[in-house]
Amino acid sequence: MLDIRLIREQPDTVRENIRRRNMTVELDALLAADQQALDLQKELERVRQRQNEIGKSMKGPMEAPARQALVEEGRALKETEAGLAAQLAQADARRDELLRGVPNLTHPQAPNGVDDTQNREVRRWGDIPQLDFAPKDHLELMESLDLIDFEGAARVTGQKFYYLKNEAVLLELALVTFACNLLREEGFVLHITPDLARQEILQGIGFNPRGDSAQIYNIENTDLSLVATAEITLGGLLAGSVLEAEQLPLLYAGVSHCFRTEAGSHGRESKGLYRVHQFTKVEMFAFCPPEQSEALHEKIVSIEEKIYQQLGIPYRVVDVCAGDLGAPAFRKYDLEAWMPGRGKWGEVTSASNCTDYQARRLDIRFKEPGKKGTRFAHMLNGTAIAVSRTLIALIENGQQADGSIRLPACLGLAPIRPK
């Protein structure tokens, strides 16, 4: 969340940022709730100060009528204090609820725009394959090679779930191993994370775990949800921590299953593996001092590029526009791979600098030698490998005229050939 002091002191800046992000936020209601909480806090402190004064007065000698008057005043103040405390708790809760709806600030260089059609291309790598035959999409290729079963999964679990089969199983495992080895060389500490997280962690990262807009699955009669990304479990790992500056930056990598409802995602654009309810992902996550976050953001993007260059997949990097950022991100870059079956680019990674927005929610701070107090850490995340979409790019770009699939040497697998 944003610092409430910034919103009090620079409301016009925050309003302009909300407008730039094409969002609707009850900022006036937030400021009113904040003022109400401040007024109640001030009144509560005044009452408690008077209670302390009465307590000190009654320790000394005093005539009975005067003592009785103070006793009665103290009793009334006790009731007043209880009422004010209850009102303040409600006002704090209302302020916190509204504050959670305010997005992060936006990097001044992020492009203006309302959706992904207005993202700005930064650079490209690789050549789009010039095939001398009509390209097939990944679903047709994988079904012809007996690599996937959507029909069987629909009987067992429902639509948009799938079984990987035969060489595709080895391909997923090889992708995860390849990414983990590369990230370990880059200094990331490897984790296999839980597939569940508590509601307060989800909210801290910036996900809405309940309500009509939720894109995740909830576990009935608990405060647990299935995670949509290891960003949730890696970011929540240090909730409530005070770190030493010498520990930073902390670089974590997480392997997890990811579960998404993908509500409203239908049609040709979501065909096959492009939008599914479950997939495996390797995620990067970093905690760092504020002064390091922009450079670390660029490093995370460079690692994503290194991965897809070694996989030999043509891609472009796009700077995501303000209206497509999502509330926690200060700035975000996506890698979009060329997907011949779609005849267009498709997102395969995202890398976000969330500054201290998540750290404020999760209370993740650090202290510096010789300095008083603490500072909130900056938190960043980036996709190393999202297996489902990487399979699309590998299989469609690797397809050969004879129906086989050429695979990159870094995975150590033989080509997949028709049986």
Side-chain angles (χ1 to χ4, degrees):
M1 63 180 71
L2 284 188
D3 186 345
I4 187 63
R5 291 173 298 182
L6 184 147
I7 298 174
R8 290 174 194 152
E9 295 166 5
Q10 301 181 47
D12 290 342
T13 298
V14 176
R15 283 193 180 90
E16 172 58 22
N17 183 61
I18 292 168
R19 184 205 62 76
R20 191 177 174 209
R21 283 174 173 257
N22 196 37
M23 294 179 68
T24 301
V25 176
E26 298 177 73
L27 195 64
D28 289 338
L30 169 59
L31 290 168
D34 178 50
Q35 189 60 55
Q36 182 186 24
L38 291 173
D39 291 344
L40 286 166
Q41 181 66 48
K42 186 176 180 180
E43 182 62 16
L44 185 59
E45 289 172 358
R46 187 194 66 78
V47 168
R48 287 172 174 167
Q49 182 180 0
R50 179 56 185 158
Q51 286 176 311
N52 290 336
E53 291 171 355
I54 291 173
K56 290 177 182 178
S57 297
M58 292 181 69
K59 289 179 181 178
M62 185 180 300
E63 293 182 0
R67 181 177 293 275
Q68 183 59 33
L70 289 178
V71 169
E72 291 176 2
E73 184 183 357
R75 187 180 296 118
L77 287 171
K78 187 175 181 180
E79 293 179 3
T80 301
E81 179 194 18
L84 286 170
Q87 292 178 59
L88 179 58
Q90 291 181 341
D92 281 341
R94 175 62 174 159
R95 176 173 61 185
D96 185 65
E97 177 187 1
L98 292 167
L99 185 57
R100 288 177 181 275
V102 180
N104 201 353
L105 298 178
T106 306
H107 195 289
Q109 294 178 17
N112 291 321
V114 297
D115 58 36
D116 60 4
T117 63
Q118 294 171 292
N119 295 343
R120 179 175 60 220
E121 183 174 317
V122 177
R123 55 186 171 272
R124 294 188 182 191
W125 181 89
D127 297 322
I128 294 174
Q130 302 299 312
L131 303 177
D132 56 4
F133 58 93
K136 298 177 180 178
D137 67 34
H138 70 283
L139 186 56
E140 185 178 359
L141 290 162
M142 293 182 79
E143 287 178 341
S144 69
L145 293 168
D146 197 24
L147 301 178
I148 200 164
D149 184 357
F150 273 101
E151 200 173 302
R155 284 193 296 271
V156 172
T157 314
Q159 295 295 324
K160 305 304 289 181
F161 289 91
Y162 56 95
Y163 287 86
L164 290 182
K165 298 174 62 180
N166 298 314
E167 291 92 340
V169 175
L170 301 178
L171 185 51
E172 170 161 320
L173 296 174
L175 284 167
V176 170
T177 301
F178 161 67
C180 285
N181 285 335
L182 188 149
L183 293 180
R184 196 173 188 185
E185 292 174 0
E186 294 284 349
F188 286 78
V189 179
L190 301 181
H191 299 74
I192 293 179
T193 83
D195 288 338
L196 294 162
R198 297 190 350 253
Q199 184 167 335
E200 66 184 74
I201 300 298
L202 289 153
Q203 290 176 332
I205 291 296
F207 282 80
N208 176 19
R210 297 287 192 271
D212 295 338
S213 62
Q215 287 281 331
I216 58 179
Y217 294 98
N218 301 306
I219 307 301
E220 190 174 9
N221 299 323
T222 75
D223 71 341
L224 296 171
S225 298
L226 292 169
V227 300
T229 166
E231 175 191 350
I232 295 166
T233 40
L234 292 175
L237 188 57
L238 298 181
S241 297
V242 178
L243 308 169
E244 299 292 340
E246 294 81 359
Q247 295 176 263
L248 302 176
L250 287 173
L251 305 178
Y252 290 169
V255 181
S256 75
H257 297 115
C258 303
F259 301 88
R260 303 183 182 183
T261 64
E262 295 292 1
S265 299
H266 304 287
R268 189 174 184 277
E269 289 297 304
S270 60
K271 181 181 179 182
L273 286 170
Y274 196 78
R275 293 195 187 278
V276 288
H277 293 315
Q278 178 182 339
F279 58 95
T280 303
K281 181 155 70 88
V282 184
E283 181 80 359
M284 294 178 276
F285 205 91
F287 305 84
C288 71
E291 297 78 17
Q292 296 179 12
S293 67
E294 290 209 42
L296 189 51
H297 192 201
E298 297 292 338
K299 177 182 178 180
I300 288 172
V301 176
S302 73
I303 292 171
E304 292 176 341
E305 293 192 70
K306 184 176 181 180
I307 288 170
Y308 282 86
Q309 287 176 15
Q310 291 195 31
L311 292 174
I313 296 174
Y315 66 81
R316 65 176 187 171
V317 179
V318 298
D319 194 353
V320 175
C321 72
D324 198 38
L325 278 177
F330 176 65
R331 194 176 198 181
K332 179 164 70 171
Y333 294 106
D334 286 351
L335 258 65
E336 297 179 345
W338 180 254
M339 298 180 177
R342 304 172 90 223
K344 61 190 295 186
W345 305 98
E347 178 196 329
V348 287
T349 77
S350 283
S352 298
N353 180 1
C354 296
T355 61
D356 62 0
Y357 188 86
Q358 296 169 325
R360 286 183 183 278
R361 292 173 179 238
L362 294 168
D363 191 24
I364 301 174
R365 295 167 289 146
F366 68 98
K367 57 183 178 181
E368 300 168 282
K371 294 185 179 181
K372 292 183 179 180
T374 59
R375 302 167 68 194
F376 285 105
H378 277 200
M379 295 165 60
L380 304 94
N381 65 83
T383 313
I385 291 280
V387 171
S388 53
R389 291 193 181 181
T390 305
L391 286 176
I392 296 174
L394 276 176
I395 287 168
E396 291 185 357
N397 283 287
Q399 64 182 297
Q400 306 296 303
D402 63 359
S404 64
I405 308 296
R406 176 181 48 80
L407 297 174
C410 65
L411 298 181
L413 297 175
I416 303 173
R417 302 186 184 283
K419 297 176 176 60

